Amino acid sequence: MFAVAQPDEDILAEVAAAAGPWLGSLLEDERRQAVAELDEAYPCWVLGTDAVHAAAQLTSDDDALARVAQDLGQWHYQILLDGEPAAFARAYGRVLPETPVEVGVVGYSDVAKDVADCVAWAREHAPDGAQVRLLLAPPWHVTALWLSYPDGSRVVVARSPEPVRGLSPRTLHAGADFLRALASTAPSRR
């Protein structure tokens, strides 16, 4: 099973209170009556082009990802509408009660469903014992699950609007292979 630190109830209440008005403004009239609830949350990490290219030069070191990914200090909260993943909130602040929580983004998009589908696939196919993070690679518009194990990293792509050579969604990729695949693909022009 995955090791994902979930926020305390008071943190969830703060995120829900802050995300609610944003979400309401994004929804179409018929969806505004939907029951919204927060689901799982994942810490967000990011990879930029410089880090990817530097790490891709390393040998088949599956720990390279752990050395180059940067913690955003942000959490990705899945939002369910009538029980289905339909939106997400990204909030700054740690899961600790004494730190402030600030919702920076609320999105009503397929990202939530893609992340939920990826998590379901990983729960069924990935080995147990992973620490799970959401990994963003903005230059390639890639959203992935980063599964960190004591013996190295594995990555499962949740969303990639443009194909990245060597990466398939719903496939367990070694961390080093993931980095090399990104490095061999030009960043998106969108």
Side-chain angles (χ1 to χ4, degrees):
M1 189 53 75
F2 296 152
V4 179
Q6 291 301 307
D8 292 333
E9 289 298 318
D10 57 332
I11 301 278
L12 291 174
E14 284 183 56
V15 171
W22 286 18
L23 184 60
S25 70
L26 295 173
L27 296 177
E28 298 145 6
D29 287 338
E30 65 273 6
R31 293 300 308 250
R32 286 198 181 125
Q33 298 306 313
V35 174
E37 59 185 310
L38 291 176
D39 196 25
E40 293 184 319
Y42 305 94
C44 293
W45 290 64
V46 68
L47 286 170
T49 52
D50 291 343
V52 166
H53 290 293
Q57 303 305 314
L58 302 173
T59 58
S60 62
D61 179 8
D62 284 334
D63 246 4
L65 184 55
R67 285 196 299 277
V68 299
Q70 295 180 335
D71 183 350
L72 284 176
Q74 186 181 75
W75 282 73
H76 172 97
Y77 295 84
Q78 290 283 94
I79 299 174
L80 305 179
L81 293 179
D82 290 336
E84 296 295 321
F88 65 89
R90 298 246 171 94
Y92 292 93
R94 297 279 179 212
V95 183
L96 303 173
E98 63 272 4
T99 60
V101 175
E102 178 183 334
V103 173
V105 174
V106 174
Y108 177 57
S109 76
D110 291 339
V111 169
K113 181 165 179 10
D114 292 341
V115 169
D117 290 348
C118 186
V119 168
W121 184 91
R123 281 200 166 110
E124 188 174 325
H125 296 93
D128 289 344
Q131 170 110 25
V132 181
R133 300 173 180 114
L134 192 71
L135 184 61
L136 309 172
W140 297 271
H141 300 288
V142 170
T143 302
L145 284 185
W146 173 13
L147 308 174
S148 180
Y149 295 95
D151 66 343
S153 297
R154 307 291 180 274
V155 178
V156 182
V157 175
R159 181 179 185 82
S160 179
E162 295 179 18
V164 174
R165 207 174 17 251
L167 294 182
S168 302
R170 314 304 182 265
T171 302
L172 208 54
H173 300 281
D177 294 341
F178 177 77
L179 290 168
R180 278 193 293 278
L182 290 180
S184 70
T185 304
S188 176
R189 294 188 192 142
R190 287 196 212 180

